[in-house]
Each structure stands twice: as C-alpha cells, then as structure tokens.
Amino acid sequence: MTFESLKPQVESIILNAEKAVNERLLAICTLLETHVNYYNWIGFYFRNGQKEELLLGPYVGEPTDHTVIPFGKGICGQVAVSNKNFVVPDVAAQDNYIACSITVKAEIVVPIFVNGKNIGQIDIDSNTPDPFTEADERFLEFVCTAVSTLL
Ligand code: SME
C-alpha cells in the first residue's frame, strides 16, 4: 500500500465524529501498523499541560514503560524542544535515546503543531535498520496536520 492511498483513509478516520478523539488516534496507529510493514510500534505523545514533559497517548505495539518523557530526554524529548522531525536510522548510534525494546533498530518522530505550538508528536519504531526516507517524513507530516485538527 502506498502513502498516497493511505491518506484518504487517514482523513476518513479523522472525520468520523462517531468515535472519540483517542479512538480515532488509535485507529490511525492501527492503520499505519497494518499497512506499512516496517512500522512496528506507532504511538502519540502529547505535552502534559504546561509541564515540560510528554505523556503517552494511544499507541499500537508492545507496551512501554516510557509513559512519561521529560523534555530533552530521548528522541521524543528532543523533538519536544527542537520542533523538528527526528529521523534515526540506527538507534544504537544515539547517545540520548530511550530504549523500549531490543528489537527496535530505527525511529522517526514528527511533531504536531496547533496554532504554531508543538503540542505533541507521532513516534514510530522500526525493527528494520534505516528504513525511513523523505517520503515517510512527508506522509507523517500529513498525518500530524490531520491530527492537529482534532486537538
Ligand atoms: N525511543 C523513544 C522512547 C519512546 S519509545 O520508542 C516508545 C525515545 O528515545 O524518545
């Protein structure tokens, strides 16, 4: 399945007002996990009010202990501060990385903006080394923009 063909499915999940916001976010995680074979853990983290920490939201994949991540810590915490996409082709080469599972080889985190403010992110772990391209970044930016309309 191509990213272009997933976009309308993302939009229809977002527009389904019969589901609660968190159900829609979970449905997006499930859609991505089902159709992109190198997306193995997909989750959302959101800023905890005005605190400088992220809280885990809906996700698909192995349960993680990292339900609270301080700003600056790990790949996610760095994106909370940098406001920029972070593509990690090889997690073993990162010093500031929080390991969730020994099977994870690579990670991508893309921030979500509401009114220009970084309020959270989508985080994807891959068990495949160096799988992410600019196409993933552009697609995940599309997903994050769509999600921002719910928040
Ligand atoms: N690896 C992330 C932590 C979250 S898990 O991938 C679910 C990080 O370094 O921020």
Side-chain angles (χ1 to χ4, degrees), residues 4 13 16 18 34-35 37 54 93 98-99 119 126-127 132 143:
E4 282 313 308
I13 290 168
N16 181 0
E18 286 173 15
T34 304
H35 293 292
N37 60 14
L54 297 164
I98 302 167
I119 59 87
S126 181
N127 299 336
F132 303 116
V143 171

Side-chain angles (χ1 to χ4, degrees), residues 12-20 24:
S12 76
I13 290 168
I14 294 286
L15 292 172
N16 181 0
E18 286 173 15
K19 283 190 177 173
R24 285 181 259 177

Side-chain angles (χ1 to χ4, degrees), residues 27-139:
I28 288 172
C29 296
T30 303
L31 177 79
L32 301 193
E33 200 272 336
T34 304
H35 293 292
V36 187
N37 60 14
Y38 55 92
Y39 287 6
N40 302 112
W41 188 98
I42 300 103
F44 291 94
Y45 281 94
F46 292 105
R47 184 171 186 169
N48 183 11
Q50 289 307 304
K51 288 193 191 168
E52 298 212 325
E53 67 183 22
L54 297 164
L55 296 182
L56 180 62
Y59 70 94
V60 165
E62 276 180 48
T64 173
D65 290 339
H66 305 292
T67 55
V68 182
I69 297 179
F71 277 27
K73 301 276 186 216
I75 307 305
C76 296
Q78 290 178 77
V79 170
V81 175
S82 73
N83 306 323
K84 293 200 173 109
N85 298 349
F86 199 157
V87 180
V88 181
D90 174 9
V91 294
Q94 292 291 319
D95 291 335
N96 189 357
Y97 168 70
I98 302 167
C100 283
S101 159
I102 52 160
T103 62
V104 175
K105 298 285 192 292
E107 178 162 2
I108 184 169
V109 178
V110 174
I112 300 169
F113 299 98
V114 173
N115 297 328
K117 282 196 178 161
N118 181 349
I119 59 87
Q121 51 192 237
I122 192 166
D123 175 22
I124 297 178
D125 288 340
S126 181
N127 299 336
T128 303
D130 194 9
F132 303 116
T133 69
E134 287 192 10
D136 295 271
E137 288 191 73
R138 298 296 87 77
F139 173 64

